[in-house]
Amino acid sequence: MEVTYLSSAAILVETDDAKLLCDPWLEDGAFYGSWCHYPPLSAEPEAFNDVDYIYISHIHPDHFDPATLERMDTDIPVLIHDYRWDYLQNEIEELGFEVHALKHDTRTQLAGDLHINILAADSCDPEICGNYFGCGWVEENPELGSTQVDTLAAIDDGEHTVVNMNDCPYPMVETSMRRVKERYGDIDLLCHQYSAAQFYPQCMLDYSHEEKIQARDSVIQEKHELATEFVDLMEPDFYLPFAGEYVLAGGLSHLNEYTANPPRISAYEWFDANVPDEHECIFLNSGEHLDLAEGEVSKPYEPVDKDEKERYIEEELSNRKFDYETEPFPDPEELYERLPAAYERFENNRQKIDYETDTTVLVSLVDDEYVELTFDGEGYERVESPDLDAYDGYVRFEVDPRLLNWLLQGPEKAHWSDAKIGSHLGISKQPDIYERQLYNCLGSFHA
């Protein structure tokens, strides 16, 4: 069995019987144009039309990338988890692919000795997901099954086992990991996340340069330490820290120094120093592979040239446009007309998950006008130049009106979560805490 690293969470698993392509994000411009690759990829999506299967772990665009799949052969079967909701299956089928939704924790033969077993991050137990996210509605809906977006996959050929964790969050995924460890025993290769694909701290409007750097380093340390939990539990021969690797383009390119997405060589040095030697850390350049039978890599990892990376970002990526920047600026009345229906969805979701907070959400509209959302069922207001000191607590979102117009139209145009992960939302908040369910409710603020 050979495992080839392509980009971020994109890997190719090959045996004598079949080829399995995992999470192929091979085109620049995920998350409405902000996420790109460095080094730029030489591999074209069409080069993988000879694979036998594609596994897509979840719906985030650095894993499910329509731009990549649109350039691939739709005769390739696509494997996903059998989610409670069909949103991912529907999106893939709209591209023309046949989707196979595999039951949770079911070892499935692909070809010859090659098998895959896909497990939900929350082990299809909504109470695990609910406890993690604090959802009060879980107790009233025990039939829901998996309520998380992330999955992991155990891939084996009877001799070797690769566990692909992609973005699965620890400790939520611990139960599923223990099931895999009990079933498969020895793990040859563990692929896991080690950095933060998130808005924090680069999007924080009221942080100084020094505060962003300090927060960045703290998040990186936290993510590295969480990654050791994956290794400690699975005890693999080899482990490959990957996923969530990107550079910001366009008008966000100046934020790259603040993302909790460290140079891979720095991450390698940290893991090499902090994980026991019986587990070998590997990083691979794009197109290079690990041969599990021989226990050898095709070529040692070569770190990127820092100066060349900065030149590429400044001269190439910074000039790119985001998807919504090709749109005209909306008329304010167009935004106002969508607010009542958007608030109704927001409020219905807030009641559904039984969430309350004294924090007020402020979303920029046009000029100095904001829409003010409270979590008490009292409706919304449009306010001019709000006095932030007058609030007990607030989260303020600055968003391009063209993107806001998409967000208010709903997920088929744009999703709040993707805009946040893509760093398109400028954020300030007092107190400086992260209220996870607040962002959950905001995700429903669309018409």
Side-chain angles (χ1 to χ4, degrees), residues 177-391:
M177 289 178 65
R178 292 192 181 281
R179 289 192 181 188
V180 169
K181 182 63 176 174
E182 291 169 3
R183 177 189 287 258
Y184 293 90
D186 295 335
I187 306 299
D188 295 273
L189 174 64
L190 174 67
C191 306
H192 62 85
Q193 193 180 56
Y194 70 101
S195 62
Q198 62 184 30
F199 71 95
Y200 183 84
Q202 68 270 17
C203 292
M204 303 309 297
L205 297 173
D206 50 0
Y207 278 24
S208 67
H209 168 77
E210 291 75 18
E211 288 172 327
K212 287 182 180 179
I213 294 295
Q214 182 179 9
R216 177 201 68 186
D217 293 344
S218 177
V219 173
I220 290 172
Q221 179 73 16
E222 177 187 3
K223 291 296 183 179
H224 284 1
E225 291 175 354
L226 282 174
T228 64
E229 300 285 352
F230 295 131
V231 179
D232 290 344
L233 197 159
M234 286 295 189
E235 301 178 309
D237 294 334
F238 299 92
Y239 63 100
L240 171 65
F242 80 151
E245 297 170 347
Y246 66 97
V247 288
L248 292 171
L252 300 173
S253 61
H254 66 286
L255 298 179
N256 278 303
E257 66 174 312
Y258 304 121
T259 65
N261 189 25
R264 300 177 81 212
I265 188 61
S266 299
Y268 173 81
E269 292 169 351
W270 190 93
F271 285 104
D272 191 53
N274 289 277
V275 175
D277 292 340
E278 60 262 31
H279 314 298
E280 184 175 345
C281 180
I282 61 168
F283 277 88
L284 298 170
N285 296 103
S286 181
E288 303 300 332
H289 69 263
L290 168 66
D291 186 326
L292 292 178
E294 300 296 331
E296 297 178 352
V297 297
S298 57
K299 186 178 180 181
Y301 175 67
E302 296 181 2
V304 301
D305 183 308
K306 179 180 177 181
D307 292 337
E308 175 59 24
K309 179 179 179 179
E310 292 179 354
R311 184 205 64 78
Y312 181 78
I313 293 173
E314 181 177 350
E315 296 182 8
E316 173 65 30
L317 295 185
S318 66
N319 297 318
R320 297 188 182 180
K321 296 293 185 182
F322 302 136
D323 298 350
Y324 54 85
E325 290 181 326
T326 63
E327 297 281 314
F329 280 88
D331 185 284
E333 290 298 328
E334 187 178 358
L335 300 178
Y336 302 157
E337 289 173 1
R338 292 195 171 100
L339 294 181
Y343 175 77
E344 183 177 359
R345 283 182 176 272
F346 166 87
E347 176 60 16
N348 286 341
N349 188 33
R350 186 195 70 81
Q351 293 184 26
K352 179 180 179 182
I353 65 176
D354 192 24
Y355 180 68
E356 294 182 2
T357 179
D358 292 332
T359 302
T360 299
V361 165
L362 296 161
V363 178
S364 66
L365 291 170
V366 291
D367 299 325
D368 293 325
E369 189 175 30
Y370 292 77
V371 57
E372 180 186 273
L373 303 171
T374 57
F375 292 77
D376 55 9
E378 295 298 319
Y380 71 92
E381 291 187 28
R382 297 193 341 246
V383 294
E384 292 274 357
S385 303
D387 178 9
L388 299 180
D389 293 333
Y391 297 98

Side-chain angles (χ1 to χ4, degrees), residues 68-82:
T68 295
L69 293 180
E70 284 171 354
R71 295 179 57 183
M72 297 190 66
D73 188 348
T74 56
D75 288 336
I76 304 170
V78 177
L79 311 173
I80 67 170
H81 184 263
D82 185 17

Side-chain angles (χ1 to χ4, degrees), residues 29 64 112 134 146 159 166 175 212 224 246 253 264 300 330 391-392 405 432:
F64 163 55
S146 178
E159 294 185 17
N166 55 82
T175 297
K212 287 182 180 179
H224 284 1
Y246 66 97
S253 61
R264 300 177 81 212
Y391 297 98
D392 292 332
N405 193 32
D432 190 9

